[in-house]
Amino acid sequence: MASSKEQNIILDAWFPEWLDVYKSADCKDSTLNLYKNIYNRYIKKTFGKKQLKRLRGDMIQRFINKAAGEYSKSVAATINFLLYDSLRQAARNGIIARNPMENTTPPKFREQKKKVALTAETEHKFLEAAQNSCYYPLYRLASLTGMRIGEVLGLQWQDINFEKGEIHIAHTLCYTPEKGQYLDSPKSAASRRIIPMEKHSEIYTLLKNWRRKQKYQKLQVGQYWNPPEGMEDIVFTTTHGTPHYDMNIRTDQRKIVAQLKESGVDIGTCTFHTLRHCFATRCIENGMDPKVLQAILGHSTFAMTMDLYCDVMEETKRQELHKIMAAL
Protein backbone atom coordinates (compact mmCIF):
# COMPACT_ATOMS: atom_id res chain seq x y z
CA MET A 1 0.00 0.00 0.00
CA ALA A 2 1.50 3.33 -1.08
CA SER A 3 1.79 6.13 1.47
CA SER A 4 -0.18 9.38 1.10
CA LYS A 5 3.11 11.14 0.38
CA GLU A 6 3.76 8.82 -2.54
CA GLN A 7 0.18 9.17 -3.75
CA ASN A 8 0.52 12.96 -3.91
CA ILE A 9 3.79 13.06 -5.85
CA ILE A 10 3.87 15.46 -8.80
CA LEU A 11 5.44 14.72 -12.18
CA ASP A 12 8.21 17.31 -11.63
CA ALA A 13 9.33 15.26 -8.60
CA TRP A 14 8.86 11.82 -10.15
CA PHE A 15 10.41 12.38 -13.60
CA PRO A 16 14.01 13.11 -12.42
CA GLU A 17 13.73 10.18 -9.97
CA TRP A 18 12.63 7.89 -12.82
CA LEU A 19 15.52 9.08 -15.00
CA ASP A 20 18.12 8.75 -12.26
CA VAL A 21 17.06 5.38 -10.85
CA TYR A 22 15.50 3.53 -13.77
CA LYS A 23 16.91 4.98 -17.00
CA SER A 24 20.51 5.79 -16.06
CA ALA A 25 21.25 2.05 -15.89
CA ASP A 26 20.75 1.49 -19.62
CA CYS A 27 21.03 4.96 -21.21
CA LYS A 28 24.08 7.02 -22.08
CA ASP A 29 24.46 10.40 -20.37
CA SER A 30 23.83 12.13 -23.69
CA THR A 31 20.49 10.29 -24.02
CA LEU A 32 19.52 11.19 -20.46
CA ASN A 33 20.36 14.82 -21.24
CA LEU A 34 18.14 14.65 -24.36
CA TYR A 35 15.27 13.26 -22.25
CA LYS A 36 15.69 16.06 -19.70
CA ASN A 37 15.63 18.67 -22.45
CA ILE A 38 12.51 17.17 -24.07
CA TYR A 39 10.76 17.05 -20.70
CA ASN A 40 11.67 20.62 -19.76
CA ARG A 41 10.78 22.04 -23.15
CA TYR A 42 7.60 20.14 -24.03
CA ILE A 43 6.09 18.32 -21.03
CA LYS A 44 6.88 20.30 -17.87
CA LYS A 45 4.64 23.31 -18.54
CA THR A 46 1.53 21.18 -19.04
CA PHE A 47 2.01 18.34 -16.57
CA GLY A 48 4.94 19.19 -14.27
CA LYS A 49 2.88 20.45 -11.31
CA LYS A 50 0.15 17.82 -11.65
CA GLN A 51 -0.07 14.91 -9.23
CA LEU A 52 0.45 11.58 -10.98
CA LYS A 53 -2.83 10.24 -9.58
CA ARG A 54 -4.68 13.18 -11.20
CA LEU A 55 -3.40 12.41 -14.72
CA ARG A 56 -6.11 10.96 -16.94
CA GLY A 57 -5.76 9.08 -20.20
CA ASP A 58 -7.97 11.50 -22.15
CA MET A 59 -5.92 14.59 -21.16
CA ILE A 60 -2.67 12.83 -22.10
CA GLN A 61 -4.20 11.60 -25.38
CA ARG A 62 -5.14 15.16 -26.37
CA PHE A 63 -1.66 16.36 -25.41
CA ILE A 64 0.22 13.75 -27.47
CA ASN A 65 -2.17 14.19 -30.41
CA LYS A 66 -1.36 17.92 -30.38
CA ALA A 67 2.38 17.20 -30.10
CA ALA A 68 2.21 14.80 -33.06
CA GLY A 69 0.64 17.55 -35.16
CA GLU A 70 3.06 20.29 -34.16
CA TYR A 71 6.47 18.67 -33.75
CA SER A 72 8.75 16.36 -35.69
CA LYS A 73 8.18 12.62 -35.52
CA SER A 74 11.26 12.08 -33.32
CA VAL A 75 10.26 14.78 -30.78
CA ALA A 76 6.59 13.71 -30.60
CA ALA A 77 7.50 10.02 -30.31
CA THR A 78 9.98 10.82 -27.52
CA ILE A 79 7.33 12.83 -25.65
CA ASN A 80 4.96 9.87 -25.92
CA PHE A 81 7.64 7.42 -24.72
CA LEU A 82 8.75 9.55 -21.75
CA LEU A 83 5.22 9.96 -20.44
CA TYR A 84 4.28 6.31 -20.97
CA ASP A 85 7.43 4.76 -19.53
CA SER A 86 7.69 7.04 -16.49
CA LEU A 87 4.01 6.46 -15.61
CA ARG A 88 4.34 2.72 -16.16
CA GLN A 89 7.17 2.64 -13.61
CA ALA A 90 5.14 4.78 -11.20
CA ALA A 91 2.33 2.20 -11.41
CA ARG A 92 4.80 -0.65 -10.83
CA ASN A 93 6.09 1.18 -7.74
CA GLY A 94 2.58 1.62 -6.35
CA ILE A 95 2.73 5.42 -6.59
CA ILE A 96 -0.39 5.28 -8.78
CA ALA A 97 -2.91 2.47 -9.07
CA ARG A 98 -2.44 2.07 -12.82
CA ASN A 99 -0.78 3.73 -15.80
CA PRO A 100 -3.32 6.22 -17.23
CA MET A 101 -1.73 5.72 -20.66
CA GLU A 102 -2.65 2.01 -20.82
CA ASN A 103 -5.70 2.88 -22.91
CA THR A 104 -4.21 5.72 -24.96
CA THR A 105 -3.38 5.25 -28.62
CA PRO A 106 -0.05 6.38 -30.08
CA PRO A 107 -1.00 9.09 -32.60
CA LYS A 108 -0.05 9.11 -36.24
CA PHE A 109 3.24 10.97 -36.11
CA ARG A 110 4.15 13.38 -38.87
CA GLU A 111 6.18 11.82 -41.63
CA GLN A 112 9.63 13.34 -41.54
CA LYS A 113 10.83 14.90 -44.73
CA LYS A 114 13.60 12.86 -46.21
CA LYS A 115 16.86 14.76 -45.98
CA VAL A 116 18.11 15.63 -49.43
CA ALA A 117 21.86 15.74 -50.00
CA LEU A 118 23.49 18.62 -51.80
CA THR A 119 24.39 17.98 -55.41
CA ALA A 120 28.09 17.40 -56.07
CA GLU A 121 28.29 20.92 -57.53
CA THR A 122 26.55 22.56 -54.54
CA GLU A 123 28.63 20.58 -52.05
CA HIS A 124 31.76 21.82 -53.83
CA LYS A 125 30.52 25.41 -53.52
CA PHE A 126 30.08 25.02 -49.77
CA LEU A 127 33.53 23.45 -49.29
CA GLU A 128 35.12 26.13 -51.44
CA ALA A 129 33.46 28.87 -49.36
CA ALA A 130 34.54 27.10 -46.14
CA GLN A 131 38.25 26.98 -46.98
CA ASN A 132 39.09 30.02 -44.84
CA SER A 133 37.26 28.59 -41.82
CA CYS A 134 39.28 27.07 -38.98
CA TYR A 135 36.82 24.18 -39.20
CA TYR A 136 37.54 23.39 -42.85
CA PRO A 137 39.57 20.22 -42.10
CA LEU A 138 36.57 18.88 -40.13
CA TYR A 139 34.11 19.67 -42.93
CA ARG A 140 36.32 18.05 -45.54
CA LEU A 141 36.94 14.95 -43.44
CA ALA A 142 33.19 14.53 -42.95
CA SER A 143 32.57 14.86 -46.68
CA LEU A 144 35.29 12.28 -47.42
CA THR A 145 34.37 9.71 -44.76
CA GLY A 146 30.75 10.23 -43.69
CA MET A 147 31.77 10.53 -40.02
CA ARG A 148 29.28 12.02 -37.56
CA ILE A 149 30.13 15.32 -35.86
CA GLY A 150 30.74 13.65 -32.47
CA GLU A 151 33.00 11.06 -34.11
CA VAL A 152 35.11 13.74 -35.83
CA LEU A 153 35.38 15.78 -32.62
CA GLY A 154 36.19 12.68 -30.56
CA LEU A 155 38.84 11.38 -32.97
CA GLN A 156 42.23 10.80 -31.32
CA TRP A 157 45.62 10.38 -32.97
CA GLN A 158 45.81 6.89 -31.51
CA ASP A 159 42.73 6.07 -33.62
CA ILE A 160 44.58 6.89 -36.86
CA ASN A 161 47.00 4.35 -38.31
CA PHE A 162 48.92 5.99 -41.15
CA GLU A 163 50.93 2.83 -41.81
CA LYS A 164 47.92 0.57 -42.30
CA GLY A 165 45.81 3.35 -43.75
CA GLU A 166 42.97 3.09 -41.22
CA ILE A 167 40.78 5.42 -39.17
CA HIS A 168 39.30 3.65 -36.13
CA ILE A 169 36.01 5.08 -34.89
CA ALA A 170 36.28 4.28 -31.19
CA HIS A 171 35.04 7.43 -29.45
CA THR A 172 32.51 10.20 -29.75
CA LEU A 173 32.75 13.61 -28.06
CA CYS A 174 29.65 14.37 -25.98
CA TYR A 175 28.47 17.26 -23.86
CA THR A 176 26.03 17.60 -20.98
CA PRO A 177 25.66 20.64 -18.69
CA GLU A 178 26.54 18.47 -15.68
CA LYS A 179 29.68 16.81 -17.10
CA GLY A 180 30.79 19.31 -19.74
CA GLN A 181 32.70 17.73 -22.65
CA TYR A 182 33.65 14.07 -22.34
CA LEU A 183 34.62 11.13 -24.53
CA ASP A 184 32.17 8.27 -24.79
CA SER A 185 31.91 5.04 -26.75
CA PRO A 186 30.13 5.29 -30.14
CA LYS A 187 26.34 5.32 -30.22
CA SER A 188 26.04 1.61 -31.16
CA ALA A 189 28.16 -1.49 -31.72
CA ALA A 190 27.96 -0.88 -35.48
CA SER A 191 29.25 2.66 -35.00
CA ARG A 192 32.55 1.24 -33.73
CA ARG A 193 34.20 0.65 -37.09
CA ILE A 194 37.28 1.08 -39.29
CA ILE A 195 37.26 3.50 -42.22
CA PRO A 196 39.91 2.68 -44.85
CA MET A 197 42.31 5.49 -45.78
CA GLU A 198 44.46 5.09 -48.86
CA LYS A 199 48.04 6.27 -48.41
CA HIS A 200 48.61 9.69 -49.97
CA SER A 201 44.87 10.09 -50.60
CA GLU A 202 43.21 13.41 -49.77
CA ILE A 203 42.12 12.08 -46.35
CA TYR A 204 45.67 10.90 -45.59
CA THR A 205 47.23 14.20 -46.69
CA LEU A 206 44.61 16.28 -44.83
CA LEU A 207 45.33 14.49 -41.54
CA LYS A 208 49.11 14.58 -42.02
CA ASN A 209 49.01 18.32 -42.75
CA TRP A 210 46.75 18.97 -39.77
CA ARG A 211 49.06 17.02 -37.44
CA ARG A 212 51.97 19.25 -38.52
CA LYS A 213 49.88 22.39 -37.99
CA GLN A 214 48.70 21.24 -34.57
CA LYS A 215 52.28 20.52 -33.45
CA TYR A 216 53.28 24.01 -34.58
CA GLN A 217 50.36 25.56 -32.66
CA LYS A 218 51.39 23.63 -29.56
CA LEU A 219 54.95 24.96 -29.82
CA GLN A 220 53.69 28.50 -30.34
CA VAL A 221 51.50 28.66 -27.23
CA GLY A 222 53.81 26.61 -25.00
CA GLN A 223 52.48 26.48 -21.44
CA TYR A 224 49.09 27.76 -22.60
CA TRP A 225 48.44 24.50 -24.49
CA ASN A 226 45.94 23.10 -22.01
CA PRO A 227 43.83 20.11 -23.11
CA PRO A 228 41.38 18.67 -20.55
CA GLU A 229 42.53 15.57 -18.70
CA GLY A 230 42.01 12.47 -20.83
CA MET A 231 41.78 14.50 -24.06
CA GLU A 232 45.47 15.17 -24.66
CA ASP A 233 45.39 13.12 -27.87
CA ILE A 234 42.39 14.78 -29.58
CA VAL A 235 42.96 15.36 -33.31
CA PHE A 236 40.94 18.52 -33.92
CA THR A 237 41.62 21.12 -31.26
CA THR A 238 41.49 24.86 -30.73
CA THR A 239 44.71 26.88 -30.69
CA HIS A 240 45.02 26.03 -26.98
CA GLY A 241 44.58 22.27 -27.30
CA THR A 242 40.96 22.06 -26.16
CA PRO A 243 38.26 20.18 -28.12
CA HIS A 244 35.86 22.14 -30.30
CA TYR A 245 32.22 22.63 -29.28
CA ASP A 246 29.76 21.32 -31.86
CA MET A 247 27.57 24.41 -31.33
CA ASN A 248 30.39 26.65 -32.61
CA ILE A 249 30.73 24.49 -35.72
CA ARG A 250 26.99 24.65 -36.40
CA THR A 251 27.13 28.46 -36.06
CA ASP A 252 30.08 28.62 -38.46
CA GLN A 253 28.25 26.50 -41.05
CA ARG A 254 25.15 28.67 -40.88
CA LYS A 255 27.35 31.74 -41.38
CA ILE A 256 29.02 30.22 -44.46
CA VAL A 257 25.63 29.28 -45.95
CA ALA A 258 24.31 32.81 -45.26
CA GLN A 259 27.38 34.42 -46.89
CA LEU A 260 26.92 32.22 -49.95
CA LYS A 261 23.28 33.27 -50.17
CA GLU A 262 24.23 36.95 -49.91
CA SER A 263 26.60 36.44 -52.84
CA GLY A 264 23.76 34.97 -54.90
CA VAL A 265 24.46 31.27 -54.30
CA ASP A 266 21.59 29.70 -52.34
CA ILE A 267 22.51 26.15 -51.37
CA GLY A 268 19.63 25.75 -48.89
CA THR A 269 20.54 24.08 -45.61
CA CYS A 270 23.95 22.55 -44.97
CA THR A 271 24.56 21.04 -41.53
CA PHE A 272 27.39 18.75 -40.49
CA HIS A 273 25.04 15.81 -40.98
CA THR A 274 24.37 17.07 -44.51
CA LEU A 275 28.04 16.39 -45.29
CA ARG A 276 27.64 12.80 -44.02
CA HIS A 277 24.57 12.50 -46.24
CA CYS A 278 26.52 13.94 -49.19
CA PHE A 279 29.28 11.38 -48.70
CA ALA A 280 26.78 8.51 -48.73
CA THR A 281 24.99 9.92 -51.78
CA ARG A 282 28.25 10.30 -53.74
CA CYS A 283 29.11 6.68 -52.82
CA ILE A 284 25.77 5.37 -54.13
CA GLU A 285 25.97 7.59 -57.23
CA ASN A 286 29.35 6.04 -58.01
CA GLY A 287 28.15 2.47 -57.61
CA MET A 288 29.28 1.48 -54.10
CA ASP A 289 27.66 -1.67 -52.75
CA PRO A 290 25.08 -0.47 -50.15
CA LYS A 291 26.23 -3.18 -47.71
CA VAL A 292 29.75 -1.73 -47.84
CA LEU A 293 28.30 1.74 -47.35
CA GLN A 294 26.38 0.48 -44.30
CA ALA A 295 29.65 -0.66 -42.71
CA ILE A 296 31.47 2.61 -43.49
CA LEU A 297 28.62 4.75 -42.11
CA GLY A 298 28.22 2.58 -39.01
CA HIS A 299 24.49 1.96 -39.48
CA SER A 300 23.08 -0.76 -37.23
CA THR A 301 20.86 -2.19 -39.94
CA PHE A 302 20.89 -2.45 -43.72
CA ALA A 303 17.29 -1.17 -43.71
CA MET A 304 18.51 2.11 -42.17
CA THR A 305 20.94 2.63 -45.04
CA MET A 306 18.40 1.70 -47.69
CA ASP A 307 15.65 3.86 -46.17
CA LEU A 308 17.90 6.93 -46.29
CA TYR A 309 19.38 6.39 -49.72
CA CYS A 310 16.82 4.36 -51.69
CA ASP A 311 15.90 7.42 -53.81
CA VAL A 312 19.51 7.69 -54.95
CA MET A 313 19.53 3.95 -55.57
CA GLU A 314 16.50 4.32 -57.86
CA GLU A 315 18.36 6.83 -60.01
CA THR A 316 21.48 4.64 -60.03
CA LYS A 317 19.38 1.64 -61.10
CA ARG A 318 17.88 3.72 -63.90
CA GLN A 319 21.35 4.70 -65.14
CA GLU A 320 22.63 1.12 -64.94
CA LEU A 321 19.60 -0.21 -66.78
CA HIS A 322 20.08 2.43 -69.46
CA LYS A 323 23.66 1.15 -69.98
CA ILE A 324 22.41 -2.44 -70.28
CA MET A 325 19.67 -1.46 -72.76
CA ALA A 326 22.25 0.25 -74.92
CA ALA A 327 24.28 -2.96 -74.98
CA LEU A 328 21.37 -5.31 -75.71
Side-chain angles (χ1 to χ4, degrees), residues 71 73 75 79 111 140 149 154 162 229 246 260 280:
Y71 309 127
K73 182 178 180 179
V75 167
I79 291 170
E111 281 302 313
R140 189 56 180 143
I149 189 167
F162 287 105
E229 189 178 344
D246 60 357
L260 276 168

Side-chain angles (χ1 to χ4, degrees), residues 11 34 62 116 311:
L11 189 60
L34 170 69
R62 280 193 290 271
V116 180
D311 291 344

Side-chain angles (χ1 to χ4, degrees), residues 198-235:
E198 291 294 317
K199 282 192 178 182
H200 309 299
S201 63
E202 188 177 347
I203 304 172
Y204 183 95
T205 305
L206 182 150
L207 289 169
K208 280 277 191 181
N209 288 343
W210 173 250
R211 188 164 67 167
R212 278 195 294 271
K213 185 172 181 179
Q214 188 188 56
K215 283 178 178 177
Y216 178 69
Q217 286 179 343
K218 189 175 180 179
L219 282 171
Q220 272 193 314
V221 299
Q223 63 178 328
Y224 298 106
W225 185 265
N226 192 29
E229 189 178 344
M231 298 194 202
E232 296 85 357
D233 200 36
I234 290 282
V235 172

Side-chain angles (χ1 to χ4, degrees), residues 222-328:
Q223 63 178 328
Y224 298 106
W225 185 265
N226 192 29
E229 189 178 344
M231 298 194 202
E232 296 85 357
D233 200 36
I234 290 282
V235 172
F236 294 110
T237 51
T238 67
T239 51
H240 289 83
T242 56
H244 292 294
Y245 281 92
D246 60 357
M247 192 177 293
N248 293 340
I249 295 169
R250 296 181 210 281
T251 301
D252 185 64
Q253 274 193 276
R254 284 195 295 270
K255 194 188 299 179
I256 293 166
V257 170
Q259 286 169 348
L260 276 168
K261 191 171 182 178
E262 281 174 22
S263 69
V265 181
D266 188 355
I267 66 168
T269 303
C270 180
T271 66
F272 207 88
H273 205 79
T274 304
L275 298 174
R276 173 173 161 84
H277 195 28
C278 286
F279 165 77
T281 302
R282 301 293 92 83
C283 289
I284 292 289
E285 286 170 349
N286 287 282
M288 180 181 282
D289 182 334
K291 284 295 287 182
V292 174
L293 179 60
Q294 179 196 344
I296 292 173
L297 290 174
H299 281 159
S300 301
T301 64
F302 183 57
M304 193 184 296
T305 307
M306 291 307 294
D307 183 50
L308 285 170
Y309 306 112
C310 62
D311 291 344
V312 188
M313 284 293 295
E314 287 303 319
E315 185 55 36
T316 303
K317 283 194 290 188
R318 198 184 312 279
Q319 291 169 3
E320 293 300 312
L321 191 59
H322 181 71
K323 289 180 195 172
I324 295 296
M325 289 300 169
L328 292 175

Side-chain angles (χ1 to χ4, degrees), residues 55-63 100 104:
L55 294 174
R56 300 191 318 272
D58 62 315
M59 68 169 67
I60 296 174
Q61 185 74 63
R62 280 193 290 271
F63 178 76
T104 59

